[in-house]
């Protein structure tokens, strides 16, 4: 659709930026923090680990001051469960609460809206040792953890995100890290875990509405659109298969509290469906979200399955690189889009389409909680980073957000990944996303100095003008 008049961004638009606790904070074992699964995983040799990360734990004041200078209206960050409950449940660690209270206070002082993710991949290790999400006790632990957060921060935080990218944890568990011993859960286990997370999420969304009358809460899913490789009807079926299984099935459960029929039949046919106990679906349904959050990086292109092992491509996949699944879909190429050096498709128009589809399906406000480009940024002699590729990427995506707004989609904010350099999930510090450069290498911590990139100045101006883009 072409328009004569493009709608402006709403005055209340949440111009933001994102991080997650384990990728930015460091201080992995201080002030009573317990280990999380991330702390105990095997990490690739030669890539930065998460022990120091960007040292935000010690430098949060300086960082938030920079976020204020950037003009952020919102900051999306996660709370490390293991700072609050070092073993996932039991005694509260008051120092952990204090740390996040300081962050929230600091943000509020600058008028920056805190958007809090409760769980971003970093399950407490003690819970993992007791079965992790396979064990229903983890559901209760998550609800109690959430109750504590609502109790302490419910008056100061308005926007809550339950679980970051549940679909990535279930569909690409290796992208988050490989457990000690190297064995990833089976699909059967993963879909049981998924079911338990959904119950936990439903209960927590319900609790939020009971405890925080002004609070708004929603799930954060890695969502995208799947294009069909050709106009062959079988390609269209395969694209629909994977778009449903990878994305909609998670949101259908979060929003409507029901298993999508196609998804359920896929699980049953493969004998990987979860055990559903009495009351589970009611608990999932009881927690209606106020908005949905989406993390969008790229689209994918899908061809008909040949129904044999060749459907699965031998290359390495991750949360954005589709691998194919026997009898379901094959990954295909798209000659109309570019790619990052890590093989992630760059498709701004795909964001508009994904927003339209999600709004049409759920009729809920949408908050974009991640979008951005990873690159091995280089410091120049003038001590800055000429990251024009990042400016181009964000500009092109924001233009499509504006078109989606013009289409009628209710987009309430945009929080690119990441506001400051953080450790990538599995590519260390070589793959940076921030508007603020952190001066460290993979192993060499250098001085961890903060340096504004060219994109910092550009994004600042976009925020100042409520979305005018040069
Ligand atoms: C998202 C995650 O999937 O992608 C983030 O929520 C992650 O935690 C981001 O960092 C970018 O991925 P990567 O692998 O490049 O760090």
């Amino acid at each position: 659709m072409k328009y004569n008049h493009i709608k402006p961004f709403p005055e209340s638009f949440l111009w933001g930026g994102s991080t997650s606790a384990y990728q930015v904070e460091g201080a992995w074992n201080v002030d009573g923090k317990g280990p999380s699964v991330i702390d105990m995983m095997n990490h690739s040799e030669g890539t930065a680990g998460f022990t120091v990360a960007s040292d935000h734990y010690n430098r949060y004041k300086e960082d938030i001051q920079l976020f204020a200078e950037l003009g952020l209206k919102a900051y999306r960050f996660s709370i490390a469960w293991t700072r609050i409950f070092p073993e996932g449940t039991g005694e509260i660690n008051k120092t952990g609460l204090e740390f996040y209270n300081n962050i929230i206070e600091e943000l509020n002082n600058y008028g920056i809206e805190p958007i809090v993710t409760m769980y971003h991949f970093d399950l407490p290790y003690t819970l993992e040792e007791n079965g992790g999400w396979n064990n229903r006790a983890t559901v209760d632990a998550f609800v109690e953890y959430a109750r504590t957060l609502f109790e302490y921060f419910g008056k100061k935080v308005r926007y809550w995100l339950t679980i970051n990218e549940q679909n990535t944890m279930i569909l690409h568990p290796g992208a988050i890290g490989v457990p000690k011993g190297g064995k990833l859960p089976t699909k059967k286990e993963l879909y049981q875990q998924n079911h338990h997370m959904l119950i936990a999420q439903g209960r927590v969304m319900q609790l939020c509405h009971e405890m925080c009358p002004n609070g708004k809460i929603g799930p954060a899913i890695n969502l995208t659109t799947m294009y069909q490789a050709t106009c062959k009807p079988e390609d269209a079926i395969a694209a629909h298969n994977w778009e449903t299984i990878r994305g909609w099935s998670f949101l259908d459960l979060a929003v409507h509290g029901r298993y999508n029929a196609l998804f359920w039949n896929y699980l049953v046919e493969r004998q990987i469906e979860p055990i559903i106990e009495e009351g589970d679906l009611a608990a999932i349904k009881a927690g209606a979200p106020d908005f949905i959050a989406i993390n969008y990086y790229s689209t994918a292109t899908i061809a008909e399955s040949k129904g044999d092992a060749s459907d699965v491509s031998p290359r390495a996949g991750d949360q954005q690189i589709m691998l194919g699944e026997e009898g379901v879909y094959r990954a295909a190429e798209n000659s109309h889009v570019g790619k990052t050096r890590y093989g992630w498709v760059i498709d701004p128009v795909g964001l508009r389409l994904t927003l339209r589809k999600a709004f049409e399906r759920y009729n809920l406000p949408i908050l974009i909680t991640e979008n951005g480009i990873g690159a091995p940024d280089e410091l120049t002699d003038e001590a800055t980073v000429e990251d024009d590729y990042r400016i181009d990427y964000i500009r092109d995506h924001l233009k499509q957000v504006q078109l989606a707004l013009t289409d009628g989609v209710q987009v309430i904010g945009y929080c690119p990944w990441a506001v400051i350099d953080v450790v990538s999930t599995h590519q260390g510090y070589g793959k940076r996303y921030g508007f603020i450069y952190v001066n460290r290498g993979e192993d060499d911590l250098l001085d961890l100095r903060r340096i504004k990139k060219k994109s910092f100045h550009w994004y600042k101006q976009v925020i100042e003008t409520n979305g005018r883009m040069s």
Side-chain angles (χ1 to χ4, degrees):
M1 188 113 60
K2 296 225 190 290
Y3 296 101
N4 292 326
H5 301 288
I6 306 295
K7 278 191 194 158
F9 286 89
E11 282 304 319
S12 58
F13 196 72
L14 294 169
W15 293 102
S18 272
T19 63
S20 88
Y22 79 90
Q23 293 174 277
V24 75
E25 285 175 7
W28 73 288
N29 60 354
V30 308
D31 292 340
K33 180 182 173 297
S36 75
V37 290
I38 300 286
D39 299 321
M40 304 305 280
M41 272 172 180
N42 294 325
H43 297 292
S44 323
E45 282 286 309
T47 51
F50 301 100
T51 54
V52 178
S54 305
D55 198 32
H56 180 67
Y57 189 78
N58 296 308
R59 297 167 192 248
Y60 72 90
K61 281 198 176 169
E62 177 191 350
D63 290 344
I64 293 174
Q65 202 230 316
L66 280 166
F67 302 166
E69 187 184 332
L70 179 58
L72 288 197
K73 305 268 186 260
Y75 172 47
R76 180 244 181 176
F77 63 99
S78 78
I79 290 186
W81 186 342
T82 49
R83 282 202 200 281
I84 312 297
F85 290 104
E87 301 195 330
T89 154
E91 275 295 281
I92 295 180
N93 174 33
K94 287 274 164 52
T95 323
L97 279 179
E98 210 177 299
F99 171 64
Y100 291 108
N101 190 51
N102 291 342
I103 290 205
I104 292 165
E105 289 279 316
E106 201 71 11
L107 291 170
N108 285 342
N109 288 342
Y110 284 110
I112 302 174
E113 183 88 52
I115 300 175
V116 175
T117 313
M118 305 168 100
Y119 163 44
H120 191 122
F121 302 158
D122 50 357
L123 187 73
Y125 191 65
T126 311
L127 295 183
E128 180 67 16
E129 283 187 308
N130 292 324
W133 284 107
N134 292 313
N135 184 346
R136 279 179 173 255
T138 299
V139 175
D140 296 329
F142 187 61
V143 176
E144 286 320 301
Y145 161 57
R147 188 189 306 281
T148 307
L149 299 188
F150 296 148
E151 207 170 288
Y152 283 87
F153 305 129
K155 289 208 173 73
K156 300 176 184 171
V157 172
R158 287 197 300 165
Y159 289 91
W160 297 92
L161 305 166
T162 51
I163 301 177
N164 180 68
E165 293 195 3
Q166 184 171 332
N167 54 341
T168 294
M169 287 191 276
I170 300 304
L171 297 164
H172 308 281
I176 312 306
V178 181
K180 291 225 179 293
K183 206 172 147 278
L184 291 170
T186 62
K187 284 199 173 180
K188 176 91 182 156
E189 286 165 340
L190 284 164
Y191 282 108
Q192 191 65 50
Q193 294 179 11
N194 185 48
H195 183 67
H196 292 158
M197 280 187 220
L198 288 161
I199 300 170
Q201 174 169 268
R203 286 178 55 191
V204 164
M205 290 198 289
Q206 188 182 21
L207 190 65
C208 178
H209 293 136
E210 285 164 14
M211 292 181 68
C212 316
N214 298 322
K216 292 184 190 303
I217 190 161
I221 291 292
N222 182 312
L223 199 66
T224 192
T225 290
M226 301 289 160
Y227 300 126
Q228 53 203 62
T230 69
C231 49
K232 192 175 168 195
E234 286 77 7
D235 284 350
I237 287 290
H240 186 248
N241 284 345
W242 191 234
E243 192 173 284
T244 304
I245 293 168
R246 185 186 180 277
W248 302 128
S249 59
F250 291 84
L251 282 176
D252 286 356
L253 276 151
V255 177
H256 300 308
R258 60 167 184 260
Y259 274 87
N260 174 290
L262 175 69
F263 176 53
W264 183 253
N265 283 309
Y266 157 86
L267 296 175
V268 171
E269 162 81 17
R270 286 161 180 74
Q271 300 181 329
I272 52 175
E273 78 279 18
I275 296 164
I276 300 182
E277 293 185 5
E278 207 187 323
D280 286 359
L281 293 176
I284 295 174
K285 207 181 169 87
D290 302 293
F291 64 92
I292 55 175
I294 69 167
N295 296 350
Y296 174 90
Y297 289 89
S298 41
T299 48
T301 300
I302 302 299
E304 175 191 7
S305 145
K306 292 205 168 130
D308 58 34
S310 74
D311 282 340
V312 184
S313 69
R315 64 186 173 172
D318 61 24
Q319 64 267 51
Q320 303 307 147
I321 298 182
M322 306 302 127
L323 282 185
E325 186 173 332
E326 193 173 329
V328 182
Y329 78 101
R330 292 170 80 85
E333 287 298 320
N334 184 345
S335 59
H336 305 285
V337 292
K339 275 187 185 170
T340 71
R341 68 161 62 205
Y342 302 94
W344 290 16
V345 161
I346 302 176
D347 182 7
V349 177
L351 173 57
R352 178 184 182 189
L353 188 55
T354 305
L355 289 167
R356 279 160 62 144
K357 287 185 180 189
F359 190 65
E360 184 173 66
R361 196 168 179 120
Y362 304 114
N363 197 29
L364 283 172
I366 303 176
L367 178 62
I368 299 168
T369 39
E370 288 185 32
N371 175 237
I373 184 167
D377 297 341
E378 304 255 338
L379 257 194
T380 64
D381 292 343
E382 284 74 42
T384 186
V385 177
E386 301 284 332
D387 55 344
D388 293 274
Y389 40 87
R390 182 160 295 110
I391 295 173
D392 292 345
Y393 182 99
I394 305 255
R395 182 201 295 111
D396 293 349
H397 283 78
L398 275 173
K399 285 197 167 152
Q400 295 299 321
V401 173
Q402 202 171 357
L403 285 170
L405 282 163
T406 309
D407 291 328
V409 180
Q410 198 186 343
V411 188
I412 57 174
Y414 178 75
C415 301
W417 184 268
V419 60
I420 184 167
D421 286 345
V422 300
V423 188
S424 151
T425 53
H426 55 306
Q427 277 138 331
Y429 233 91
K431 189 187 193 188
R432 294 167 184 263
Y433 284 88
F435 298 112
I436 301 166
Y437 185 88
V438 174
N439 194 35
R440 65 159 287 183
E442 296 291 4
D443 296 318
D444 193 342
L445 292 177
L446 302 173
D447 57 10
L448 289 158
R449 192 157 43 103
R450 281 38 182 160
I451 297 161
K452 295 170 210 162
K453 302 182 192 176
K454 187 172 177 184
S455 58
F456 179 100
H457 305 286
W458 178 83
Y459 190 45
K460 179 178 162 71
Q461 198 247 328
V462 171
I463 300 176
E464 259 166 24
T465 57
N466 200 33
R468 202 149 354 105
M469 279 167 276
S470 53

